[in-house]
């Protein structure tokens, strides 16, 4: 499934919010309802939402979409960082690899000397 697909059903607050006492009394029906509607149930206690109950298949699908979205963001950030690096290099702001590796060697040697 692609993150651009809109396959995750949106909760209907008028139907998917129930008090804990009703949930406890109709547990089996509630579980069947999450499976049938593919929507989560929001359980309330003392008038406040406290818990979400959802079918495991829907949960797994939501986790997959979240993972895909996070991977997409990471790729976008990496592309942006590469573009910034290219622009800075073209402007003469780059650091030669020899200097970077020399700095790393110096830091490693200093750390080794501190530990000795």
């Amino acid at each position: 499934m692609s993150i651009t697909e809109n396959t995750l059903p949106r909760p209907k607050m008028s139907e998917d919010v129930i008090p804990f006492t009703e949930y406890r009394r109709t547990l089996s029906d509630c579980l069947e309802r999450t499976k049938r509607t593919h929507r989560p149930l929001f359980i309330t206690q003392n008038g406040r939402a406290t818990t979400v109950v959802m079918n495991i298949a829907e949960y797994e699908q939501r986790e997959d979409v979240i993972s895909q979205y996070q991977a997409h963001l990471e790729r976008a950030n990496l592309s942006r960082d590469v573009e910034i690096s290219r622009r800075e290099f073209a402007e003469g702001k780059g650091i030669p690899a020899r200097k970077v590796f020399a700095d790393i060697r110096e830091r490693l040697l200093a750390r080794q000397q501190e530990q000795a």
Side-chain angles (χ1 to χ4, degrees):
M1 173 182 34
S2 156
I3 61 173
T4 57
E5 294 176 18
N6 188 10
T7 59
L8 299 177
R10 297 190 49 81
K12 294 182 181 178
M13 293 305 177
S14 61
E15 298 175 19
D16 298 333
V17 177
I18 63 171
F20 176 73
T21 53
E22 181 182 341
Y23 175 73
R24 184 176 53 197
R25 189 172 25 91
T26 61
L27 178 61
S28 187
D29 292 338
C30 289
L31 296 178
E32 182 57 37
R33 184 161 105 187
T34 62
K35 191 184 292 185
R36 179 176 34 81
T37 66
H38 305 280
R39 297 189 319 255
L41 284 177
F42 299 89
I43 312 303
T44 63
Q45 283 183 303
N46 302 319
R48 299 185 67 125
T50 59
T51 305
V52 177
V53 176
M54 65 186 340
N55 180 278
I56 192 69
E58 299 306 316
Y59 173 80
E60 289 171 343
Q61 183 179 16
R62 286 172 190 267
E63 289 296 307
D64 288 346
V65 169
I66 290 168
S67 292
Q68 289 176 9
Y69 182 70
Q70 288 172 332
H72 175 75
L73 282 179
E74 289 172 10
R75 285 191 302 274
N77 287 338
L78 180 59
S79 294
R80 186 199 68 226
D81 292 346
V82 167
E83 185 55 37
I84 290 170
S85 295
R86 285 181 177 159
R87 190 173 340 117
E88 288 177 352
F89 185 76
E91 295 170 357
K93 297 179 183 176
I95 300 172
R98 285 187 302 280
K99 171 136 178 49
V100 172
F101 289 122
D103 289 348
I104 291 171
R105 276 192 291 282
E106 284 179 30
R107 290 181 186 185
L108 288 174
L109 285 172
R111 190 175 293 170
Q112 288 173 350
Q113 290 171 355
E114 288 174 2
Q115 292 176 354

